[in-house]
Amino acid sequence: MNVPFFIAKRIAFNNQRSFSRFIIRLAAAATALSVAAMIITLAFVNGFQQTVSRKVFSFWGHVRVQQYEPGKSLVAEETPLPENDTVVQIVKHTTGVKHIQPFATKSAVLEKNKEIEGILFKGIDSTYDFSNLQPFLRAGRWIHFNADSPYTKEILVSEPIANELEIKLNDNINIHFISPEKGTTTTRKLTVCGIYKTGIEDFDKLFAIGDIRLLRKVNNWHNGEIGGYEVFLNDYSQIDTMTSILQDKLPIAWIGRSIKEVYPYIFDWLNIQDVNRLVIFIVMAVVAVINLITCLLILVLERTRMVGVLKAIGAQDWAIQKIFLYHASIIASAGIVVGFIFGTGICLIQKKFGLLTLNESAYYVSVAPVEIVWWQVGLICASTLAVCMLSLLIPTILVKAVRPIKAIQFR
């Protein structure tokens, strides 16, 4: 029979009123609050990082492969390169690559009813995988590529641009391509087939999507010339490793860039969330530990006579210490269980009903995203219990200082 555990159980579930009962409940509540706060923080940080990064990856892929041009802005008109079967085969046969598709961009101006808006026209072809952008389609459909015509006279515009220029589905709009080198402007009339919104203002305020063959015609490019390739990976967490692998395999004139390099400010902002998460974890852990240590000190002082009696009948110091450690572990476990239920409950409610809303222009999302990773939740609970138990060894040292005769006389 485990005597220390038996005594700890009797003490823990004693229904007699005492000051320590209030302290025990307070310590359990503080532990529950700390665990719940850590679970909620982790779920929201995971949600933000995954949702926002997924939006960027859906629009641009994970890795951009194009001509090496040092000193040139990463978001700008590309120097044309002929489609390269060698590059395509290298990328396709690299383990971890899901899809590759060509693209090109060019500055342009949209015009509707004499209202204008500057954009960057993103040209794509029939190999483009629209499934990545499907969650962002607000109205209409994706572009239908007609192989029998020189280029498809359809365009996708963003919802903010559509609202600003009062564009509706199936409207005809003029697009003006400006060539600063030649000092000329080329105008084409296109039909709006769809309206999208990613929630990332840098994309929605800047890009329209159309046929890459139109850009070739406007730029006088040769048939098959492109600006570069978008590469999609099976696992976005391997983006840095895959970028390095592709860079080593590509021909000299080509370079592979992680999309993190193209939009560093977005990913820097997301990485700051890790710092916030760490600060909250440290604060909550300190709160839980301090409350449990205070609780255990009170329990030891309240049970001074019991300690004296146990010592008088021959109980070892460590055996008495284990009584209080078991008692504290019951309190900590109760707090952790309540915190787990409360924290995961709030996260699941937010995930299902989206009660907490945000300013999309500032946070890139309209509803606070939640992503519960269950092994991380389990690790929080286990780590909290382990840290608390190690910290609780400190106040039990008081047991060694108790003298049986004085303790039995203690009031």
Side-chain angles (χ1 to χ4, degrees):
M1 180 180 180
N2 190 337
V3 176
F5 181 70
F6 174 77
I7 297 174
K9 244 188 347 179
R10 292 294 300 269
I11 297 172
F13 299 106
N14 184 1
N15 292 323
Q16 291 182 356
R17 293 185 175 275
S18 63
F19 174 70
S20 62
R21 287 189 64 188
F22 170 74
I23 299 301
I24 289 170
R25 290 174 180 175
L26 186 62
T31 306
L33 181 62
S34 298
V35 171
M38 288 188 280
I39 290 173
I40 293 169
T41 300
L42 189 62
F44 275 86
V45 169
N46 286 341
F48 267 108
Q49 291 180 331
Q50 293 188 26
T51 302
V52 175
S53 60
R54 195 179 297 126
K55 285 187 175 186
V56 179
F57 298 146
S58 296
F59 197 88
W60 275 119
H62 300 94
V63 182
R64 181 184 290 186
V65 175
Q66 59 192 105
Q67 184 175 358
Y68 177 61
E69 298 178 277
K72 185 174 181 180
S73 171
L74 296 179
V75 184
E77 297 181 21
E78 305 81 19
T79 300
L81 279 174
E83 288 188 278
N84 191 311
D85 288 337
T86 302
V87 170
V88 172
Q89 292 306 314
I90 287 173
V91 174
K92 279 186 175 180
H93 289 88
T94 300
T95 304
V97 171
K98 179 181 179 182
H99 182 64
I100 179 173
Q101 55 199 26
F103 77 96
T105 59
K106 184 173 179 62
S107 299
V109 174
L110 290 182
E111 179 197 356
K112 174 74 188 305
N113 297 329
K114 297 184 179 180
E115 296 290 333
I116 62 172
E117 182 68 28
I119 63 159
L120 201 60
F121 184 90
K122 180 180 178 180
I124 59 175
D125 66 9
S126 57
T127 64
Y128 194 85
D129 185 4
F130 282 109
S131 63
N132 296 303
L133 294 179
Q134 189 61 44
F136 311 131
L137 187 64
R138 290 290 191 267
R141 57 172 174 79
W142 303 116
I143 296 171
H144 289 166
F145 293 92
N146 187 353
D148 297 328
S149 62
Y151 62 88
T152 299
K153 297 180 180 181
E154 294 181 340
I155 188 172
L156 281 159
V157 298
S158 68
E159 190 174 80
I161 292 176
N163 292 336
E164 191 166 338
L165 298 182
E166 298 182 352
I167 297 172
K168 296 181 175 58
L169 279 178
N170 302 317
D171 279 357
N172 292 322
I173 60 174
N174 292 322
I175 181 167
H176 307 279
F177 294 99
I178 303 168
S179 299
E181 301 85 1
K182 299 178 181 179
T184 60
T185 301
T186 304
T187 302
R188 293 289 186 272
K189 182 175 286 187
L190 302 178
T191 302
V192 177
C193 66
I195 297 174
Y196 76 90
K197 185 182 181 183
T198 65
I200 298 180
E201 191 170 296
D202 287 7
F203 296 169
D204 296 340
K205 286 284 190 179
L206 183 60
F207 289 98
I209 303 173
D211 195 335
I212 195 173
R213 292 175 297 175
L214 173 57
L215 291 188
R216 290 176 185 147
K217 192 173 183 65
V218 169
N219 290 333
N220 293 318
W221 289 358
H222 297 296
N223 187 32
E225 285 191 315
I226 61 173
Y229 291 104
E230 297 172 358
V231 180
F232 288 83
L233 307 177
N234 291 317
D235 183 3
Y236 78 90
S237 65
Q238 299 298 314
I239 186 170
D240 294 326
T241 302
M242 292 299 299
T243 301
S244 179
I245 291 172
L246 288 174
Q247 182 56 45
D248 292 339
K249 291 183 176 182
L250 291 171
I252 295 175
W254 295 76
I255 186 171
R257 283 193 177 100
S258 161
I259 205 65
K260 292 180 179 180
E261 297 178 56
V262 182
Y263 295 99
Y265 58 92
I266 294 178
F267 291 94
D268 287 344
W269 176 74
L270 291 176
N271 290 334
I272 290 174
Q273 310 306 315
D274 291 332
V275 178
N276 297 337
R277 175 179 59 191
L278 181 61
V279 170
I280 292 175
F281 274 24
I282 292 173
V283 171
M284 291 298 101
V286 169
V287 168
V289 167
I290 289 176
N291 275 277
L292 284 171
I293 287 176
T294 304
C295 174
L296 194 55
L297 283 172
I298 292 172
L299 289 175
V300 171
L301 291 174
E302 188 182 52
R303 298 285 175 175
T304 301
R305 292 187 67 190
M306 183 192 77
V307 172
V309 171
L310 291 173
K311 281 194 171 188
I313 61 176
Q316 299 294 319
D317 288 338
W318 175 236
I320 300 173
Q321 283 178 269
K322 284 198 292 184
I323 293 175
F324 294 103
L325 284 174
Y326 282 135
H327 191 179
S329 68
I330 293 171
I331 299 169
S333 298
I336 290 170
V337 170
V338 172
F340 168 81
I341 295 171
F342 185 65
T344 54
I346 289 178
C347 292
L348 291 173
I349 290 171
Q350 173 63 21
K351 190 170 185 177
K352 184 172 180 61
F353 300 105
L355 301 179
L356 180 59
T357 59
L358 300 170
N359 182 352
E360 192 170 30
S361 62
Y363 295 98
Y364 305 130
V365 289
S366 57
V367 176
V370 171
E371 189 67 35
I372 302 175
V373 181
W374 291 106
W375 71 264
Q376 293 179 344
V377 173
L379 185 61
I380 287 174
C381 295
S383 300
T384 302
L385 182 60
V387 169
C388 289
M389 293 308 297
L390 289 173
S391 303
L392 290 172
L393 287 171
I394 298 171
T396 59
I397 296 174
L398 288 176
V399 170
K400 296 181 179 181
V402 175
R403 295 182 179 180
I405 296 176
K406 290 186 177 182
I408 294 171
Q409 297 174 347
F410 183 78
R411 289 289 187 272

